[in-house]
Each structure stands twice: as C-alpha cells, then as structure tokens.
Amino acid sequence: MSENLNHTNTSLYSEDLAPIAANQRTWTTWNYAALWISMSLCIPTYMLSSSLIEGGMNWWQAILTIFLGNTIVLIPMILNGHAGAKYGIPFPVFARASFGTMGANIPAMLRAIVACGWFGIQTWIGGFALYQMMRLWIPSIETLPQIFPDSFGLQTGPAICFLVFWLLNMYVVYLGVDSIRKLLVFKAIFLPLAALALLVWALVAAHGLGPILATPSKFATTTDFFHFFFPALTGMVGFWATLSLNIPDFTRYATSQKAQINGQMYGLPTSMTMFAFVGVVVTSATTIVFGTTIWDPVELAGKFDSKLLVSVAMIAVAISTLATNIAANIVSPANDFANLSPSKIDFRKGGYITGVIGVLIFPWKLIADPTGYIFTWLVGYSSLLGPVGGIMIVDYYFIRKQTLLVDDLYDTKGIYSFSNGFNTKAIWALLLGIVPNVPGFLLTIKVVDTTVFPAWISSLYSYAWFVGFGISGFIYWILMKEKENYVECYMLKAK
C-alpha cells in the first residue's frame, strides 16, 4: 500500500478495515475447505434439506436442488473472492469501488440486516433447544400463562428460554470473539457425531435406506413440482447469498487465488450436500416412524424418551449454535455497522445492534414452517442481495478489469468518491433490480391480493436472486459504459 494513505481519515479507515499485507496472508486451500465444512455443519443446513422434504420433494429431488443451488452460488463466491485475495481488502471496502466511499454503506447495511435475521434464527434454535430440555425437568413451563398477543405466535415458555439464550449471546459479545474459540472446537467435534447418530437412528428406525429412498414425491404433476422447485432453488442460492458478497472478508487472508478458489470448490458444494443428505434421510424417516414429517431436528430430539439423552443433546445443540452464531452472524454484521462510523462503533456495539435487530424480525415466525423459511426468508432476502452481487461483479470484471486503486478506496476525494461519496448509477441499478421482485414478495407475505399485479410479474419472485442479479448487473454496465470518460480516466490512472 502507498505511504500516501491517510491513516487519520477515521471516516474510511480503521485497523479492521485496512488491507492485509501479503506477508500476513496465511490461509491455504485446506483452511477454506475447513471453513466451509464448519459453516455448513449447522442446524439451518439440516432444516434447509428437511424443509424440501416437508414441502413435497423426494430424497433425490431435494439433494439435487441443494447441490445445484450451492454450485450456482459458488460462482459469485469465487468471483467476489478474487478482489479480497488480490488486494487484501474486506467486503465494505471492496463495495466502495462500485457504490462509492459513502454509498458502500448501502450494500453493507443490506448484508448486515440479513445477518441480523440469521442471528435471530440461530438464537431461536438455541433457545428452543433449552426449552425442550427444560420441559422434561420442569413440565409446568409448558403451561405458563400466555403473556404475548396471539398475533406474536410466541408461547411464554419458549420465549423465556429464547431470552436466556439471547442474553448468553450478548454476554459472549461483551467478552469478545476470543471467548468463542473453544466452543468452535466443540462444535467441530459434536455436530458431525450428532449427525452420524441421527443417521444411524434413521436407518435403524426405518429399517434401512430402502423404505426411506422409496418414499415418493408428493407432487401430483410436473407443473406442481416446478412450481415448488424454482423458488426452492432460489432459496438454496439465497442461503449463502450473504457470504457470496462478504467472502472478501475471508479471502483477504488467502496465500493465493488458487487457495481460495480450490478451497471453496472442495468445501462448499460437497459439505452442504453431504450434511443435507443426513437431513433428507432423517426427515424421511420421521414420516415412516411417526406418521408425520418432522423437519426441525430440535423438535425431533424432544420426542425421544430418555430425559438424560434429550438433555445432553439439547445442551450440545445450544453450545454449538452459540459458537456458530457468534462466528457467522455477529462478526461480519458488527464490522458492517462499524463501517458506518469506525471511530464511534466498535465490535461490541456492533454486536449489540445485531442482537436487538435479530429479535425484532420475529425469527420464531420465519421458521415456524418450511414455507416461511424458504419463500419468505431465503427468497426474500435474496431479492436484495442478488442485485448487489450483480453490480459488484460487473464493476470489478467489466468496468475495472480486476484493477483497483487501493489508496483511493480510503480517500474521500479519490476516484471512488463519485458525487459526495455516492455512485448514483450503482444506486439506481440496485433499485431497478429490486423493484421487479417487490410484487411477488408482497403477495407472499399476503399484503396484497393476487389480482393486484399481473401473474407474470408476481411469478418473477420465484427467481428473485437471478432476476435481481441479472437486471442490476446489466443496467449498471449500461450506465457505466455511457460514462466513457470516467472509464478511460480510470484505466489511465490505474496504469
């Protein structure tokens, strides 16, 4: 980095946002593969696959959908990861090249809010695990007086356990990230063993794989299948849509481009598909064993007879969920909030902000059923993040030709300052990419009637990530190509 970089410009620079020097980049192919294996082994991944079974797919349809979705999202993951590996910069700084030094806060906040939602979902899972344990030892917790309105959809017992687990997360934020390292090790050991134990149970209880694999699809016609398949595929892509944007936060530590590319290729599609297979088998087994499909593994564990077994399992789920929550859903949004004002918001304050917003999204409603989990949550936020990904990739590969002026990324008067720090062309492209998916979203959350918008417009929501990515990327390319003088001056300065 140039010596001209103004380290006193606290509006754009902090130690956390500074480029990583080449001699400090130590992550190899194995590190990235291990990262994805660790991040894929989580309860939401299991619920992702089991929700497809609950939605009507058979085992191979669910596995194929998950594999396709993760293979597709791997492409923007690797493309966006290139800038991090080449320049050592994190996501909020990379976004300045396309959105402007101040405008970068827009995609950073969109990504942060989604992470807050994931924090809420993981916190609800951990809290519900505690509730499943408590109800065995203190049965009266199930019959506590109702204190929330019916519209909240929240019972008092689960709410208390949710609050307790939320406070535990906030305490870990107070202690700092280092306090979670041992929990991450525990998670890496426990979750694979727990997944194996569930798989063995499913095979024994259902008398082998035969009955499980023979379970047919619930779709009567091919049309019914594809009506569910395309939004489900969009949901699978949306599952990692956040990481496909902020992957530079990790690839900035790569020893080489080859390390981040191969590591992600080996780690992401394989680990997601393998753990999803466990979810598919176990969920299919619940239909055979219990006569009803149980897509929530925490609810399934609560059906076992042994109090001690259930208690140990639920405590382990809570601890591993706590580890995942802090590592995956606190660190990144905390940094995104800090990017708003590096001199005023530190990691701890950013973590507290994440925690509060995570409660306000009502996570218990999002995962109450697979329809809400896939169609409302995963597809919904993919409609916001797809356009951001399209803009960033077009800017880096077609406008910048993979060339960034690092000093200017931290300069309020540099080439990325555009107009008062905002690239209005990127903002317009973002908005125009989001708008086509709004009618379908409003229809999904039942704010409007099916007669308000033409059917073909509402149906675009089933392809939300793809629609937003393509429209925003194309519009941004057109708008920036019209600004030929800017492009020519940029490439001249880059040389």
Side-chain angles (χ1 to χ4, degrees):
M1 175 171 290
S2 170
E3 297 295 329
N4 296 326
L5 183 59
N6 183 9
H7 287 192
T8 62
N9 186 358
T10 56
S11 66
L12 295 178
Y13 179 89
S14 71
E15 291 298 326
D16 292 331
L17 299 177
I20 301 296
N23 60 2
Q24 295 178 335
R25 304 176 195 174
T26 58
W27 286 38
T28 63
T29 296
W30 163 246
N31 292 124
Y32 288 104
L35 172 72
W36 279 115
I37 293 171
S38 176
M39 294 183 70
S40 297
L41 292 177
C42 62
I43 301 299
T45 297
Y46 175 104
M47 296 173 75
L48 191 71
S49 56
S50 59
S51 67
L52 296 180
I53 297 296
E54 169 67 6
M57 287 185 170
N58 61 25
W59 73 272
W60 69 263
Q61 291 169 341
I63 292 297
L64 179 62
T65 303
I66 290 168
F67 178 76
L68 286 176
N70 283 278
T71 301
I72 291 171
V73 81
L74 179 66
I75 298 172
M77 198 85 69
I78 291 175
L79 292 177
N80 276 327
H82 186 281
K86 184 175 182 179
Y87 296 102
I89 54 176
F91 161 66
V93 175
F94 178 37
R96 293 171 185 173
S98 50
F99 284 86
T101 50
M102 294 301 295
N105 286 313
I106 296 174
M109 285 302 96
L110 288 177
R111 187 239 168 274
I113 295 301
V114 170
C116 291
W118 274 120
F119 171 83
I121 289 174
Q122 291 272 22
T123 304
W124 174 254
I125 291 172
F128 196 68
L130 294 180
Y131 172 73
Q132 293 284 49
M133 179 189 69
M134 294 296 295
R135 61 193 281 268
L136 293 177
W137 302 99
I138 311 175
S140 60
I141 197 172
E142 293 187 78
T143 56
L144 290 174
Q146 186 67 18
I147 61 176
F148 296 99
D150 292 339
S151 60
F152 269 51
L154 185 62
Q155 295 179 328
T156 303
I160 293 174
C161 294
F162 173 63
L163 177 61
V164 169
F165 193 69
W166 182 87
L167 290 172
L168 180 60
N169 277 266
M170 292 299 97
Y171 179 64
V172 173
V173 170
Y174 172 78
L175 294 177
V177 184
D178 288 341
S179 63
I180 207 70
R181 288 182 180 177
K182 292 183 179 179
L183 292 179
L184 284 171
V185 173
F186 172 83
K187 172 202 170 183
I189 297 173
F190 165 73
L191 269 182
L193 291 177
L196 181 61
L198 274 176
L199 184 61
V200 170
W201 170 85
L203 294 177
V204 172
H207 305 292
L209 269 177
I212 293 174
L213 301 186
T215 303
S217 168
K218 298 176 184 177
F219 300 111
T221 66
T222 303
T223 301
D224 291 339
F225 169 76
F226 282 111
H227 184 71
F228 182 81
F229 169 76
F230 285 112
L233 179 65
T234 303
M236 300 309 106
V237 174
F239 190 78
W240 290 122
T242 52
L243 266 295
S244 71
L245 295 185
N246 76 287
I247 191 64
D249 290 342
F250 299 97
T251 58
R252 62 195 297 220
Y253 301 102
T255 55
S256 66
Q257 290 291 350
K258 184 178 180 181
Q260 70 97 0
I261 293 173
N262 289 343
Q264 295 198 80
M265 287 178 60
Y266 300 153
L268 175 56
T270 53
S271 57
M272 282 291 293
T273 304
M274 289 176 65
F275 192 54
F277 178 74
V278 175
V280 167
V281 170
V282 175
T283 305
S284 298
T286 63
T287 306
I288 297 172
V289 176
F290 298 108
T292 182
T293 305
I294 302 174
W295 75 295
D296 185 344
V298 177
E299 181 183 345
L300 172 61
K303 286 188 172 293
F304 297 141
D305 296 328
S306 171
K307 287 186 178 181
L308 181 61
L309 175 63
V310 173
S311 297
V312 171
M314 293 301 96
I315 291 173
V317 167
I319 293 175
S320 63
T321 300
L322 176 65
T324 301
N325 223 11
I326 300 299
N329 303 319
I330 286 288
V331 175
S332 290
N335 288 335
D336 290 334
F337 287 124
N339 188 60
L340 288 173
S341 181
S343 62
K344 296 180 180 179
I345 303 177
D346 57 12
F347 168 80
R348 186 177 295 172
K349 291 178 181 176
Y352 294 155
I353 295 172
T354 301
V356 172
I357 297 176
V359 175
L360 296 179
I361 69 155
F362 290 12
W364 53 89
K365 285 194 170 186
L366 289 178
I367 62 171
D369 65 85
T371 300
Y373 185 50
I374 294 178
F375 292 84
T376 302
W377 173 238
L378 295 176
V379 178
Y381 78 66
S382 75
S383 68
L384 299 177
L385 302 187
V388 175
I391 291 169
M392 292 178 65
I393 288 175
V394 167
D395 182 79
Y396 183 65
Y397 287 92
F398 296 97
I399 303 300
R400 314 287 173 191
K401 311 297 184 184
Q402 303 176 38
T403 301
L404 298 178
L405 307 176
V406 178
D407 287 5
D408 283 36
L409 291 170
Y410 298 86
D411 188 351
T412 55
K413 298 181 180 179
I415 199 166
Y416 305 114
S417 61
F418 296 99
S419 177
N420 297 318
F422 292 89
N423 183 3
T424 55
K425 297 184 183 299
I427 296 173
W428 274 113
L430 174 64
L431 292 174
L432 292 174
I434 292 174
V435 167
N437 291 312
V438 172
F441 176 73
L442 295 177
L443 186 64
T444 300
I445 62 175
K446 297 179 173 58
V447 171
V448 299
D449 187 75
T450 55
T451 59
V452 175
F453 301 106
W456 71 271
I457 292 181
S458 300
S459 64
L460 292 176
Y461 182 70
S462 296
Y463 317 89
W465 186 88
F466 301 95
V467 170
F469 185 96
I471 291 177
S472 288
F474 180 73
I475 291 175
Y476 181 78
W477 180 73
I478 293 296
L479 293 177
M480 291 300 288
K481 286 296 288 183
E482 288 180 353
K483 204 173 180 181
E484 291 291 347
N485 290 336
Y486 172 84
V487 176
E488 290 177 4
C489 290
Y490 178 84
M491 296 309 298
L492 184 62
K493 186 174 182 179
K495 294 178 182 179

